[in-house]
């Protein structure tokens, strides 16, 4: 027992001691300590078994990936970093990322994966790189080839049977490679990159169980009252009974699956107020309350997606920086960022402002002190938001509970289970 505790204190990823000799145990744990990224499935299993939720945080820059990993290490929490489908296009150098091509996405997926591997492969906590809102099979394949360990295929806009068919196709391809798969059923209102809907369609619990059974997905994004974007409406009440019904039926039929809450940014009022006090014009910005999200966790929600909160904090930090150091407004390397901030007062997506330093975003190149200062703004904003939500969602200290299975190990398990 003393040796097991010592291993974990030394920073070993979770995982189980096996009934083999000590040398094998020691070698296995050493390998796990220095392994690169893990698939999402073992983390999902931990959230399901130990009844907590894991925040999943979207990144669009090397600095964001670095900050997300570092703050999770500080709280001894496993980390889920998400690159949205079009974030791959942006990280591939496409500033007009809404028009990103498959080739752009391939380049961007490799850039994001390289950054996550750089800061995560020797991390003392498990790290997952997950594709958010994969648009089609080719986008998913590009992410996997680029280095993602988990993918989402979003067929929610398709008829039910077509969604099942597309999702099952992705599951077969991904599981053969040990990659975790998330699907989506039901439609969230709001806007996030290319994902748009004027209204919501709640997830039917019976359809959700059938979806899990036929597709073999590992987790499922459901529509139960959340919304994409910064304007979710005042005092949103989540329909937690939808999650409860799905999990009850799945438990009855002995089907494993974790439910995912998309569009779950909390949109902190203090950050919105600070942006507006610094000359911004962000109106009607309301998020999902932390209390509502916390109450959904015991109902079966194990993964909670957050993007807008990070955008807000980073945007606030950059505005604050230029207000504090007005001489930097004319900087040769970052002055154009200030111009874009002033030109787009209603915008909160940092990608609208940071295009003058694309090489820094894509590759982590920091050519001078001014760019280093902006990079610091990005990292601080990420850590402020992510650290808060790690605590609120209950994943603090849970890293040792997550088994650090490799992709090859997961592929073998999927094969043996026939999924």
């Amino acid at each position: 027992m003393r040796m097991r505790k010592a291993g974990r204190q030394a920073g070993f990823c979770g995982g189980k001691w096996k009934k083999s000799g000590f040398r094998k145990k020691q070698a296995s744990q050493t390998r796990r300590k220095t392994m690169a990224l893990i698939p999402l499935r073992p983390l999902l299993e931990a959230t399901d078994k130990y009844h907590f939720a894991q925040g999943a945080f979207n990144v669009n820059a090397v600095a964001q990936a670095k900050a997300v990993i570092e703050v999770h290490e500080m709280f001894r929490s496993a980390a889920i970093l998400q690159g949205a489908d079009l974030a791959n296009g942006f990280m591939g150098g496409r500033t007009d990322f809404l028009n990103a091509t498959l080739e752009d996405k391939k380049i961007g997926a490799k850039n994001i994966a390289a950054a996550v591997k750089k800061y995560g492969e020797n991390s003392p906590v498990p790290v997952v790189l997950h594709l958010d809102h994969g648009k089609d099979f080719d986008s998913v394949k590009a992410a996997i080839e680029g280095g993602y360990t988990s993918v989402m295929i979003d067929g929610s806009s398709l008829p039910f049977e077509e969604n099942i068919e597309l999702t099952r196709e992705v599951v077969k391809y991904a599981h053969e490679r040990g990659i975790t798969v998330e699907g989506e059923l039901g439609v969230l209102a709001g806007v996030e990159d290319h994902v748009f809907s004027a209204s919501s369609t709640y997830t039917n619990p019976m359809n959700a169980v059938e979806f899990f059974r036929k597709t073999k997905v590992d987790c499922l994004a459901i529509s139960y009252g959340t919304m994409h974007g910064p304007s979710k409406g005042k005092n949103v009440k989540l329909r937690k009974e939808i999650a409860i019904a799905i999990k009850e039926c799945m438990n009855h039929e002995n089907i494993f699956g974790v439910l995912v809450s998309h569009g779950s940014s909390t949109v902190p009022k203090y950050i919105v107020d600070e942006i507006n006090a610094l000359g911004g014009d962000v109106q009607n910005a309301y998020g999902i309350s932390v209390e509502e999200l916390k109450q959904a966790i015991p109902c079966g929600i194990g993964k909670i997606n957050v993007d807008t909160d990070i955008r807000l904090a980073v945007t606030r930090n950059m505005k604050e920086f230029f207000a504090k150091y007005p001489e930097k407004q004319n900087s040769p390397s970052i002055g154009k960022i200030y111009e874009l901030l002033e030109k787009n007062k209603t915008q909160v997506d940092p990608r609208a402002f940071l295009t003058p330093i694309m090489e820094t975003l894509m590759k982590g190149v920091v050519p001078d002190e001014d760019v280093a200062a902006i990079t610091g703004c990005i990292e601080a904003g990420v850590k402020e938001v992510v650290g808060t939500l790690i605590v609120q969602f209950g994943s603090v200290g849970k890293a040792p509970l997550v088994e650090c299975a490799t992709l090859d190990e997961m592929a073998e398990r999927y094969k043996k289970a026939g999924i």
Side-chain angles (χ1 to χ4, degrees), residues 25-275:
K25 295 176 187 175
Q26 189 178 46
S28 173
Q29 289 299 322
T30 300
R31 174 179 62 81
R32 292 176 187 276
K33 179 182 178 182
T34 59
M35 71 184 298
L37 313 185
I38 71 163
L40 179 61
R41 176 65 183 245
L43 179 47
L44 295 174
E45 291 174 351
T47 67
D48 192 62
K49 181 176 180 179
Y50 297 104
H51 310 294
F52 67 95
Q54 194 74 44
F57 302 98
N58 286 61
V59 297
N60 300 284
V62 171
Q64 290 183 334
K66 174 177 179 287
V68 170
I69 292 170
E70 287 180 350
V71 74
H72 278 87
E73 289 175 350
M74 183 171 69
F75 285 106
R76 289 304 195 215
S77 168
I80 305 173
L81 292 87
Q82 297 193 148
D85 186 33
L86 291 186
N88 284 338
F90 180 76
M91 285 288 283
R94 193 65 180 254
T95 56
D96 60 335
F97 54 89
L98 291 175
N99 298 312
T101 66
L102 183 60
E103 290 306 310
D104 296 324
K105 295 174 186 178
K106 288 180 178 180
I107 296 170
K110 291 179 180 178
N111 285 337
I112 291 179
V116 176
K117 287 175 183 176
K118 177 180 179 180
Y119 295 105
E121 65 183 354
N122 293 315
S123 176
V125 302
V127 178
V128 176
L129 178 57
H130 177 76
L131 175 68
D132 190 26
H133 287 290
K135 185 178 181 181
D136 50 36
F137 184 86
D138 287 338
S139 295
V140 167
K141 187 177 179 181
I144 292 173
E145 291 175 350
Y148 279 69
T149 60
S150 178
V151 294
M152 177 197 179
I153 178 65
D154 184 357
S156 60
S157 63
L158 299 173
F160 182 61
E161 291 300 332
E162 291 182 28
N163 189 359
I164 287 177
E165 183 179 354
L166 172 62
T167 304
R168 182 57 186 156
E169 181 185 14
V170 169
V171 168
K172 288 179 179 178
Y173 180 84
H175 280 186
E176 286 178 355
R177 293 157 177 79
I179 306 291
T180 311
V181 181
E182 174 183 332
E184 181 164 359
L185 189 61
V187 179
L188 271 68
V191 181
E192 181 183 359
D193 288 353
H194 63 256
V195 181
F196 168 78
S197 178
S199 60
S200 296
T201 302
Y202 290 116
T203 302
N204 181 316
M206 297 307 295
N207 285 347
V209 177
E210 181 180 356
F211 193 88
F212 268 111
R213 186 190 305 113
K214 289 184 175 179
T215 64
K216 310 300 182 184
V217 290
D218 303 280
C219 55
L220 181 67
I222 63 171
S223 176
Y224 72 127
T226 56
M227 282 182 65
H228 289 303
S231 302
K232 306 179 191 299
K234 285 186 178 182
N235 304 316
V236 172
K237 296 296 181 184
L238 300 179
R239 294 190 58 180
K240 294 178 281 292
E241 66 273 13
I242 292 175
I244 292 171
I246 295 170
K247 287 297 289 186
E248 286 290 337
C249 292
M250 291 175 65
N251 290 337
H252 180 73
E253 297 194 25
N254 198 32
I255 298 172
F256 175 82
V258 170
L259 303 182
V260 181
S261 185
H262 278 223
S264 301
S265 282
T266 63
V267 189
K269 183 179 183 300
Y270 79 93
I271 298 180
V272 174
D273 289 345
E274 288 171 343
I275 289 174

Side-chain angles (χ1 to χ4, degrees), residues 392-403:
Q392 295 288 359
F393 296 160
S395 65
V396 175
K398 299 295 197 304
L401 303 178
V402 180
E403 182 185 4

